[in-house]
Amino acid sequence: MKTCFLSIDVEFLSSRSDKENKNTKGIKELNNILNIFKKHNANATLFTTGEVLEEYKDLAKQWAEKYEIACHNYRHVSIDNLTQEQREKELDQFKNLYKEIFNKQPTGYRAPRNIIDNEQMNLLQEKGFLYDSSVFPRYPWPKKYAGYKGRAPKKPYHPSKKDYKKQGGMKILEIPES
């Protein structure tokens, strides 16, 4: 039996501070896609930024009735542009907001632009995340993609503390994208 994981990244196209360019159409129309999932009884994970959760709390609560809401950072910024302190702040802000809205801790994470590294993987485990879904195990044809950092297992695995693209002994589970 094969298993398929459906996921959608839910984010603003530009940062919240850029209110004039913030595109919210996709967020407002997400229910159109979710209605198709519902019709076919398909589960999905919505990797959502904290900015979206903050602005659309009621909508997020509706989504959470049927779908998993997971972390896509507080803001949709690549972690390679952040210091360790900023990375921790992004996760802590998201986790605090998530707990306020859903009264529980988030379990899943996907890095913006799928840019992940060893430091972030270790930080996720330290912060109590159970799984990550940021790794592209093979080059995503036909264009160059910033998130691809080299081959990795195609099936779920527990990463190595020293190389997140290899099987190892970490508790966190990597669920690679296909």
Side-chain angles (χ1 to χ4, degrees), residues 10 12 20-22 37 39 53 64-65 79-80 89 93 100 104 109 124 129 134 136-137 147 151 163-164 173 175:
V10 185
F12 295 128
E20 290 181 21
N21 291 322
K22 181 175 65 174
F37 289 177
K39 178 181 174 182
L53 290 181
E65 290 173 11
I79 63 161
D80 58 344
K89 183 178 178 185
Q93 278 185 282
E100 174 189 313
K104 61 182 181 178
Y109 177 84
L124 293 173
F129 286 90
S134 302
F136 267 96
R151 292 200 175 274
D163 186 350
Y164 70 92
L173 180 68
I175 303 173

Side-chain angles (χ1 to χ4, degrees), residues 121 157-161 163-164 166-170 172 174:
M121 195 68 75
Y157 64 99
H158 294 275
S160 162
K161 200 170 180 99
D163 186 350
Y164 70 92
K166 294 186 176 172
Q167 177 74 35
M170 293 182 76
I172 192 167
E174 177 59 43

Side-chain angles (χ1 to χ4, degrees), residues 27 76-77 86 89 129 134 176:
I27 294 164
H76 195 262
V77 293
Q86 290 170 320
K89 183 178 178 185
F129 286 90
S134 302

Side-chain angles (χ1 to χ4, degrees), residues 125-137:
Q125 181 168 284
E126 177 185 309
K127 296 284 182 181
F129 286 90
L130 301 180
Y131 75 89
D132 171 73
S133 185
S134 302
V135 173
F136 267 96

Side-chain angles (χ1 to χ4, degrees), residues 3 18 25 54 67 84 90 92 131 150 158 162-163 169:
T3 301
D18 188 8
K25 182 179 179 185
E54 193 166 62
Y67 306 101
Q84 187 70 11
E90 287 283 324
D92 289 341
Y131 75 89
H158 294 275
K162 293 182 180 179
D163 186 350

